[in-house]
Amino acid sequence: MARAGRLRVLWTTAAAGLLLVACGNQELPQNTLDPEGPVARKLDNLIDPVFVVAGLVFVLVQGLVLYSALRFRRRSDDEAPRQVHGNAKLELGWTVAPALILLVVSVATVGTIADINRRAEGADVVNVNVIGHQWWWEFEYPGRGVVTANELHIPAGRPVALKLTSEDVIHSFWPPKLAGKLDVIPGRENFMTVEADEPGTYFGQCAEFCGLSHADMGLRVVAHTSGDFDEWVRTNAAPAERPNEGEAGEGAALFRQKGCASCHTVNGYSAGELGPDLTHLQQRKVFAGAAFELNEQNLRVWLRDPPEEKPGSLMPNLELSEDEITKLIAYLETLK
Amino acid sequence: MTTVLEPPTPDVLATTPVEDAGLMRRPTEPQGVWSWITTVDHKRIGILYGVTAFIFFLAGGIEALLLRLQLAKPNGTVLGAEAYNEVFTMHGTTMVFLVVMPLSAAFFNYMMPLQIGARDVAFPRLNAFSYWAFLFGGLFLYSSFLLGGAPDGGWFGYAPNTSIVFSPGHGIDFWVYGLQILGIASTVSAVNFIVTMLNMRAPGMTLMRMPIFSWMTLISSFLILFAMPVITVALFLLSFDRNFGANFFNPAAGGDPVLWQHLFWIFGHPEVYILILPAMGMVSEVLPVFSRKPLFGYPVMVFSGIAIGFMGWGVWVHHMFAVGLGPVAVSAFSLSTMFIAVPTGVKIFNWIATTWKGSLKLTTPMLFAMGFIAMFTIGGLSGVTHAVSPHDRQQTDTYYVVAHFHYVLFGGALFGIMAGIYYWWPKVFGTMLDERLGKLNFWTWFVGFNLAFGPMHLLGLQGMPRRIYTYDESLGLDFWNMVSTVGAFTIAFSVLVFMYNIWRSHKRKVKAPADPWDARTLEWSIPSPPPHYNFAEIPTVHALDEFWHRKYTEDDDGRPVRVADPQGGEGGDDDPDHDDEHHDDEGHGIHMPSPSYYPLVAAFGLPVMAYGMVYGRSSGQSYVVVVLGAVILLAGLFAWAMEPSAEPEEHDHEMIEAHSGEEPVLVAAGGPAALEDGGQESGEKGGQPAGGASEDPTDGGGGGPAPEGSGP
């Protein structure tokens, strides 16, 4: 009876799992088994047959263990089984057979390693520098004059070559549906390619433990049609317009007085380097390492006490009054 | 003539010359707390290791439950980020260094000498030192919770996150020096076990007649011996970065954080085999006994263990497939990682073949052993999927990996250790554990384990990274996380059942016979629990599974037939005492090493030095306390070296007196009696000493003059 229970648990777990993997795409934005770009698909195509073979070995071994436990159970204390000390042929067999299976897998593996390590080249490749910070992402578009944070905007259907490096500790850049992760290491440059089949927003997050708020270091990859991407670049390369009057104007002044400007760049107004570039903040849907959706309410909560919302945040609590926060938000809302 | 572990008569005390280094009077208590604190008996040290590791297991388990509570639902609020990072760091560090390694060490200590027919390990006091260093290292590490925060850099402590810039508190310092102390404990005991196994096997026990658990102990010990220095170096570099402004891992000054990863995993991967090989050995003992068949392909099991031990050094980069080391390195390590599955697979099939057509008695240890095969196989298969390195870029640092290594270290190591505990419990404590509770223990353990860790495969593949204190509902990960938490608490329930079983067995005291399982190896040939001298007569070994061959022969059909007049060893209750030359029914005239304070004293210096290093950094580079700790350590070692390994007995005193003036006292005290005993016994039986087997368990003055130098 206990054995039946054990079987049932195994099978229902496995079956429910497969079911969820198969039809849960909508709710699983980081599902590696549901690639949405050619790089991630190569990995998936490589592993799928390995999962099948592993599944067969799993069934074989579990079957043998169960069979042995049921079939050869002691029924009388007088049983005197034949003393078999070994069998060279059998043992050679189950040494060689797995080795042969693994040989096949290894050939496919090495082929894919070479493939995914090839750097993307060509006229339609977009280059982006990815810089990891505790705990947010910076994206520079060399030659396009764009710097943004936490949202990597790319054209769909075109390979994007990423150059990864870190300002502080080791992070790992991971947009699961588009590519496997690659570490982002201070003092080193790593290269990887991402590509999305279709326009859309893809989830990702830092995958290497990077300190206190590692869990809050998310990212988004936003794929546009080629035309939309060019439009996005044009918008984001332009300097920000500075409001001179009203709440927004007062907010702009506060941005300098309260020290925001010493950490944040607003192209044409300030040139801070520690925090994310805010020139076109309103072009993004998330902020603070993609931990929060960008809206008035979330900005307000954030500005009251950043380390409270995101442990360890380098942005300190500036002891802002509600009035100051309102003005600052009014200013930030002009950064379109 | 009594042994020194028996209550000494006033007469003996009166005539014992005070001749040690004079720091402390030699401890003599045969019972009570002090007898445990000063013990050098490998069996007592084994029990101390086991009990201590179990307490740490409870601590690590509570940490696991906290982690699972925090992750049970999205955006959990049980632990904050800081607490979560501390708890997962301590959970990993605890389970690896304070639970699985010392639990294995408990069995190495207790069982290995019994299995090879020895009376103790080669260096009994060094053995005690290892235990105290382990205990102090663990307590030191845990004291960080009370002293400003536990380490929070993960059990892998990646640079530069662990540097002074990013981790300015003391947590990482506690981790660094705690592991250094534990490393000393492990290295020292590895040396001890290796020397014991190579030199002190019973006459006739060639290496290929050595029980398989002892073989796995030997391989693990060699792995420890070679792996620990690597992490010691890495930790030293890190501590120089932190304490003295060195820049080994600081990229801004030309250092390289990836160097840390290489060093850590060159240690870390063999460490995995250090954790799993002993459990494989235990399972390899349990399966034959409860199948009534010999281990299938013993030589292949030995050599596959050695092969795993060797290949384990060539796979470390599979922990670093996402570092960006280039296609050549990644390809090479993908291949080596794949092919280490071959010797592992051989073991799995040989275990199944051991049970095949056997007569299986599904006792609790057998259930755990078969559960081991089933669960470890899953861990092995997911391990092969990691070796497919392009896809490992998806798997690594996700819960898929967490699932994998829990199937190896829990489904493997802990299942094996549980099998070992239930199997050897009667031998160690002389009482039987309850079988019904044992089965409840197994099934709740089995179900809880699969509920807790099975879903993690899915969570990882669905994009849940490791080491995150929180996750958003938008990731769609809530259901399996909740299942996993339920599983974790099922395991907790199972542990309670286990503890209740122990408590009940202690209450009821169902006396265990010497050989309750009809077992195969020498430890079952002596009473349960074994006398302090283990074997009244050192056995002579004629075959693999020596004890089984004393009970059975094989008929023409290869079936076991009970021997009419079994030479069942010394264990039977009606077994008349051996006609010992000394006609002494207590100690058989066997000269055992004497208890000592000095291993404890020396080991106590280590945490003092460690606290000195931790607080030296924050107190203006003042390292006075380190010097104090070093003085304690050296004083302990010095007194230890000056102390004879065994106090002289009555007739020895005459010899000492006879030789006084010429002979160094400490040599004379330990040597002649022991040599005399050994000579008599091997003479009596005419056994061929294998590999320089010696029946003398005394350590010749703490590694000082060897016994051969002690003959008058």
Side-chain angles (χ1 to χ4, degrees):
Chain A
M1 210 178 82
R3 189 166 316 281
R6 161 183 162 177
L7 264 179
R8 204 163 47 238
V9 168
L10 270 178
W11 288 120
T12 47
T13 308
L18 287 175
L19 205 71
L20 216 86
V21 169
C23 57
N25 300 346
Q26 209 69 45
E27 306 102 62
L28 297 170
Q30 294 190 168
N31 191 358
T32 64
L33 300 173
D34 179 32
E36 297 194 31
V39 182
R41 195 165 296 113
K42 274 176 198 158
L43 312 184
D44 196 48
N45 290 342
L46 177 66
I47 202 70
D48 279 348
V50 178
F51 277 146
V52 171
V53 175
L56 292 176
V57 177
F58 170 83
V59 171
L60 173 74
V61 172
Q62 307 298 341
L64 289 174
V65 171
L66 273 179
Y67 180 83
S68 191
L70 297 174
R71 172 72 183 72
F72 304 121
R73 208 166 168 164
R74 189 175 304 173
R75 282 167 180 89
S76 135
D77 262 350
D78 302 328
E79 284 174 11
R82 184 176 289 132
Q83 303 293 293
V84 183
H85 296 272
N87 182 324
K89 276 185 195 157
L90 272 178
E91 287 166 281
L92 196 65
W94 59 58
T95 309
V96 173
L100 288 177
I101 297 174
L102 289 170
L103 197 65
V104 175
V105 177
S106 65
V107 170
T109 298
V110 172
T112 311
I113 292 172
D115 195 5
I116 60 170
N117 274 283
R118 216 167 284 133
R119 285 215 202 140
E121 281 169 354
D124 64 340
V125 172
V126 178
N127 288 295
V128 183
N129 298 337
V130 177
I131 300 145
H133 298 264
Q134 277 183 329
W135 292 275
W136 58 281
W137 299 96
E138 184 173 7
F139 301 112
E140 293 175 356
Y141 293 69
R144 290 183 162 87
V146 176
V147 178
T148 185
N150 301 321
E151 283 181 10
L152 173 64
H153 288 254
I154 62 172
R158 280 164 67 183
V160 179
L162 305 180
K163 185 171 91 177
L164 314 169
T165 188
S166 169
E167 278 293 299
D168 37 53
V169 300
I170 299 177
H171 306 277
S172 197
F173 184 80
W174 188 37
K177 290 201 172 191
L178 303 182
K181 60 188 73 67
L182 187 62
D183 288 354
V184 180
I185 302 170
R188 291 199 176 207
E189 288 179 350
N190 270 339
F191 298 89
M192 69 185 280
T193 308
V194 294
E195 185 177 338
D197 295 331
E198 302 289 334
T201 301
Y202 302 91
F203 278 52
Q205 68 188 101
C206 174
E208 183 61 87
F209 179 66
C210 56
L212 207 50
S213 262
H214 166 54
D216 297 318
M217 187 167 167
L219 66 96
R220 300 279 185 278
V221 180
V222 183
H224 303 275
T225 61
S226 229
D228 286 356
F229 177 70
D230 293 340
E231 176 63 29
W232 180 85
V233 169
R234 253 193 308 281
T235 310
N236 281 269
E241 281 171 40
R242 183 173 155 200
N244 287 317
E245 49 201 42
E247 277 194 333
E250 288 177 52
L254 277 172
F255 191 79
R256 280 227 167 112
Q257 285 166 24
K258 292 289 175 183
C260 312
S262 59
C263 291
H264 293 282
T265 291
V266 173
N267 190 356
Y269 183 54
S270 70
E273 289 191 339
L274 280 179
D277 185 308
L278 300 178
T279 310
H280 295 283
L281 178 65
Q282 299 301 327
Q283 290 284 317
R284 308 176 203 152
K285 298 211 160 45
V286 290
F287 71 101
F292 311 103
E293 274 182 45
L294 186 71
N295 58 41
E296 197 264 338
Q297 179 56 31
N298 280 348
L299 274 177
R300 181 170 295 278
V301 173
W302 172 256
L303 288 174
R304 277 179 196 145
D305 188 358
E308 171 68 24
E309 298 306 309
K310 189 172 169 182
S313 162
L314 284 184
M315 179 163 160
N317 181 352
L318 295 168
E319 312 284 343
L320 301 167
S321 69
E322 287 302 307
D323 183 47
E324 288 165 338
I325 289 174
T326 307
K327 287 171 181 162
L328 275 170
I329 291 175
Y331 170 58
L332 293 175
E333 282 174 347
T334 68
L335 300 174
K336 294 201 166 122
Chain B
M1 177 166 153
T2 61
T3 71
V4 289
L5 291 181
E6 297 301 319
T9 62
D11 187 41
V12 170
L13 281 179
T15 56
T16 302
V18 182
E19 59 200 343
D20 60 42
L23 279 186
M24 297 178 188
R25 185 175 288 274
R26 189 112 198 189
T28 50
E29 288 85 349
Q31 266 141 27
V33 176
W34 277 103
S35 74
W36 284 86
I37 290 175
T38 59
T39 188
V40 296
D41 177 359
H42 72 100
K43 296 183 291 298
R44 285 185 157 199
I45 293 172
I47 293 170
L48 286 173
Y49 260 109
V51 170
T52 311
F54 186 76
I55 292 168
F56 281 123
F57 171 71
L58 296 180
I62 290 167
E63 286 154 8
L65 294 179
L66 285 172
L67 299 177
R68 282 318 319 168
L69 276 178
Q70 165 70 10
L71 294 177
K73 288 180 179 173
N75 304 314
T77 51
V78 177
L79 299 174
E82 191 174 348
Y84 186 90
N85 293 348
E86 289 178 9
V87 170
F88 87 69
T89 300
M90 286 301 281
H91 169 73
T93 307
T94 301
M95 289 304 188
V96 170
F97 292 101
L98 302 178
V99 177
V100 178
M101 281 180 84
L103 275 178
S104 300
F107 286 96
F108 295 170
N109 258 299
Y110 202 105
M111 288 304 156
M112 181 271 290
L114 298 182
Q115 285 204 322
I116 66 170
R119 289 210 174 112
D120 207 319
V121 293
F123 309 115
R125 284 178 298 178
L126 208 54
N127 201 19
F129 173 81
S130 294
Y131 168 72
W132 293 114
F134 151 62
L135 176 68
F136 290 144
L139 293 177
F140 171 79
L141 201 50
Y142 265 84
S143 71
S144 61
F145 274 115
L146 307 172
L147 298 171
D152 59 357
W155 92 282
F156 53 97
Y158 270 12
N161 187 42
T162 46
S163 69
I164 203 88
V165 179
F166 300 106
S167 296
H170 278 311
I172 301 295
D173 298 317
F174 275 101
W175 181 77
V176 168
Y177 298 109
L179 291 199
Q180 292 289 42
I181 297 174
L182 295 170
I184 291 170
S186 305
T187 312
V188 163
S189 68
V191 171
N192 207 346
F193 296 140
I194 291 170
V195 174
T196 305
M197 275 179 282
L198 293 185
N199 289 297
M200 293 170 65
R201 277 168 287 127
M205 182 174 281
T206 59
L207 279 174
M208 290 309 280
R209 286 179 190 166
M210 191 160 77
I212 191 76
F213 172 70
S214 292
W215 251 112
M216 295 304 127
T217 304
L218 183 61
I219 298 169
S220 294
S221 299
F222 269 111
L223 291 182
I224 291 172
L225 183 62
F226 295 131
M228 282 298 160
V230 185
I231 191 167
T232 303
V233 166
L235 291 167
F236 265 117
L237 299 185
L238 181 56
S239 56
F240 271 74
D241 272 16
R242 290 181 64 83
N243 278 45
F244 306 118
N247 289 300
F248 292 106
F249 306 120
N250 176 10
D256 185 1
V258 177
L259 171 65
W260 168 269
Q261 298 190 18
H262 282 295
L263 290 172
F264 186 82
W265 292 116
I266 289 173
F267 148 79
H269 204 79
E271 172 70 19
V272 174
Y273 297 107
I274 291 168
L275 298 173
I276 192 67
L277 282 170
M280 287 178 165
M282 294 175 203
V283 167
S284 305
E285 296 286 354
V286 169
L287 289 171
V289 167
F290 296 102
S291 304
R292 282 196 178 159
K293 276 181 66 198
L295 183 64
F296 192 90
Y298 166 87
V300 171
M301 292 302 253
V302 169
F303 285 112
S304 58
I306 295 173
I308 291 171
F310 269 108
M311 294 173 79
W313 292 94
V315 297
W316 81 88
V317 164
H318 71 221
H319 297 269
M320 302 166 63
F321 280 153
V323 168
L325 298 176
V328 176
V330 169
S331 299
F333 281 90
S334 297
L335 296 187
S336 62
T337 304
M338 264 179 213
F339 286 98
I340 203 168
V342 172
T344 316
V346 169
K347 277 186 178 292
I348 288 169
F349 286 113
N350 273 25
W351 284 321
I352 296 174
T354 302
T355 64
W356 205 254
K357 294 193 176 172
S359 170
L360 271 58
K361 191 169 186 191
L362 298 182
T363 57
T364 309
M366 185 63 166
L367 287 173
F368 275 107
M370 296 196 79
F372 169 99
I373 306 176
M375 296 302 100
F376 179 72
T377 299
I378 298 173
L381 288 170
S382 56
V384 172
T385 64
H386 298 322
V388 182
S389 59
H391 197 268
D392 188 61
R393 295 265 295 271
Q394 293 283 25
Q395 303 160 13
T396 190
D397 283 319
T398 71
Y399 265 83
Y400 187 79
V401 175
V402 180
H404 159 73
F405 70 74
H406 279 97
Y407 269 82
V408 173
L409 296 182
F410 194 128
L414 278 179
F415 269 68
I417 286 169
M418 286 299 278
I421 290 175
Y422 272 96
Y423 175 60
W424 276 305
W425 187 275
K427 178 52 61 189
V428 175
F429 297 103
T431 55
M432 301 298 287
L433 286 172
D434 185 77
E435 268 297 304
R436 289 183 56 162
L437 283 171
K439 281 177 180 145
L440 179 64
N441 185 186
F442 171 77
W443 287 110
T444 47
W445 184 271
F446 183 90
V447 170
F449 166 74
N450 281 292
L451 280 181
F453 300 107
M456 288 184 185
H457 290 107
L458 288 171
L459 287 169
L461 292 173
Q462 290 169 354
M464 180 165 173
R466 294 170 74 175
R467 301 156 187 152
I468 51 170
Y469 74 96
T470 186
Y471 58 96
D472 197 69
E473 336 167 50
S474 60
L475 295 182
L477 303 171
D478 16 339
F479 177 70
W480 289 115
N481 269 304
M482 182 51 94
V483 171
S484 176
T485 300
V486 170
F489 279 87
T490 312
I491 298 171
F493 171 74
S494 186
V495 173
L496 291 178
V497 172
F498 176 61
M499 290 166 70
Y500 174 66
N501 200 351
I502 291 173
W503 178 80
R504 217 174 85 128
S505 108
H506 182 72
K507 279 272 168 209
R508 298 208 170 173
K509 289 196 172 29
V510 181
K511 208 169 150 16
D515 180 22
W517 314 119
D518 194 12
R520 314 177 70 88
T521 40
L522 285 174
E523 72 269 30
W524 302 100
S525 71
I526 55 176
S528 304
H532 63 91
Y533 48 82
N534 296 353
F535 297 91
E537 241 181 59
I538 295 296
T540 303
V541 175
H542 303 92
L544 175 67
D545 290 340
E546 170 68 19
F547 184 50
W548 189 86
H549 285 282
R550 293 182 189 183
K551 297 184 288 186
Y552 296 95
T553 56
E554 287 179 25
D555 66 13
D556 295 338
D557 196 27
R559 293 180 190 279
V561 180
R562 225 174 217 290
V563 178
D565 177 26
Q567 315 135 21
E570 306 156 4
D573 286 336
D574 50 6
D575 196 319
D577 212 347
H578 287 273
D579 189 20
D580 194 272
E581 194 206 346
H582 301 283
H583 297 286
D584 184 328
D585 58 1
E586 281 295 325
H588 289 273
I590 295 159
H591 199 93
M592 297 299 291
S594 305
S596 174
Y597 293 113
Y598 298 128
L600 173 66
V601 173
F604 183 70
L606 295 172
V608 175
M609 290 171 73
Y611 282 114
M613 288 304 290
V614 171
Y615 289 102
R617 176 165 78 71
S618 54
S619 59
Q621 301 287 329
S622 160
Y623 291 101
V624 183
V625 180
V626 180
V627 176
L628 177 69
V631 168
I632 296 174
L633 173 66
L634 289 174
L637 291 177
F638 181 77
W640 172 348
M642 291 295 113
E643 177 190 60
S645 82
E647 286 300 314
E649 300 180 31
E650 281 169 89
H651 78 276
D652 302 338
H653 300 159
E654 296 157 24
M655 297 176 68
I656 293 164
E657 279 152 33
H659 292 278
S660 62
E662 301 147 78
E663 205 72 16
V665 167
L666 74 101
V667 173
L675 266 196
E676 196 184 335
D677 278 348
Q680 280 159 5
E681 278 171 15
S682 49
E684 270 164 25
K685 290 183 293 169
Q688 201 73 303
S694 160
E695 286 102 72
D696 175 23
T698 60
D699 66 3
E708 63 264 28
S710 60

